[in-house]
Amino acid sequence: MDMLQYVRDSQDNELAEQNGLRPAVGIAAIQLGIPKKMLAVVVPDEEGNSQEFALANARIVSESVQLSYLKNGEGCLSVEKEHQGLVPRHARITVKAYDLLQDKEITIKASDYLAIVLQHEIDHFSGTLFYDRINQNDPCMPKKTASSSNNARQTSIFLCSSQMIHAYIKMHAQIAFIF
């Protein structure tokens, strides 16, 4: 079991209920107290397929001027309290990273929900949380150049303590990332 497996299991209703997991689409190693620039994401699409990545040293090398946001805001496994407001993010990004699944350097061109998820997880590397990006004066006002993303799976709020996640991963560990 590793970070990627945790995210997969959290999206399986039966496993999530059985193990007390909150739904997630991504997790960063720092959320488990591991100071490494590593992340895992599982982003389902509308056809029932998923894009999965286990990345090390991910960095955004290009971003669009156009912004996007999730209509219902964002949540995070590291944040127990709900924070209302829109989180503006770049609508399209290019990410370079070392892919731990393919064992090679890759470039990802992401848009829409995948771009938002990757930006959210990469923000953890610098200690930025989603609520740091919410306009404090008018949290529900999108910027003029922002458009909303309508991914049906975006509405979940990802609340869970890092200790709980760490315990779950440790308890089920068979193959883990090398930190």
Side-chain angles (χ1 to χ4, degrees):
M1 184 72 57
D2 56 20
M3 295 188 323
L4 185 61
Q5 192 62 50
Y6 175 90
V7 177
R8 287 178 186 143
D9 289 353
S10 78
Q11 294 179 13
D12 179 303
N13 291 336
E14 188 176 314
L15 285 174
E17 185 175 331
Q18 178 183 353
N19 293 295
L21 307 178
R22 299 287 186 152
V25 291
I27 190 168
I30 196 66
Q31 291 176 273
L32 302 170
I34 301 165
K36 302 283 183 186
K37 291 184 174 184
M38 298 173 65
L39 64 87
V41 298
V42 178
V43 179
D45 63 23
E46 294 176 13
E47 288 83 43
N49 302 313
S50 293
Q51 290 184 287
E52 296 187 350
F53 296 100
L55 305 175
N57 298 319
R59 62 199 181 285
I60 298 170
V61 297
S62 174
E63 55 199 28
S64 66
V65 173
Q66 181 185 15
L67 299 176
S68 183
Y69 61 89
L70 299 179
K71 279 186 176 182
N72 294 319
E74 293 183 21
C76 183
L77 291 169
S78 297
V79 179
E80 295 185 22
K81 185 175 134 184
E82 187 173 339
H83 292 266
Q84 295 291 327
L86 301 176
V87 183
R89 302 233 182 237
H90 297 282
R92 292 171 308 285
I93 60 171
T94 301
V95 174
K96 288 197 178 215
Y98 186 81
D99 187 322
L100 298 163
L101 299 176
Q102 298 181 55
D103 196 25
K104 67 179 185 178
E105 189 78 22
I106 64 165
T107 300
I108 302 167
K109 291 192 179 285
S111 61
D112 303 319
Y113 192 48
L114 178 59
I116 290 170
V117 171
L118 287 169
Q119 288 171 86
H120 177 109
E121 297 308 329
I122 291 170
D123 270 355
H124 283 294
F125 297 169
S126 62
T128 302
L129 295 173
F130 73 94
Y131 57 74
D132 295 327
R133 296 189 177 279
I134 296 172
N135 179 340
Q136 298 305 311
N137 295 326
D138 196 353
C140 294
M141 177 59 77
K143 295 188 177 185
K144 290 180 183 179
T145 57
S147 61
S148 70
S149 178
N150 287 319
N151 186 297
R153 301 180 198 288
Q154 74 195 19
T155 58
S156 297
I157 296 187
F158 317 112
L159 305 174
C160 191
S161 73
S162 61
Q163 294 87 2
M164 184 180 197
I165 298 165
H166 197 307
Y168 177 81
I169 290 173
K170 189 174 181 180
M171 182 174 75
H172 291 87
Q174 295 171 358
I175 301 172
F177 292 154
I178 299 170
F179 296 106

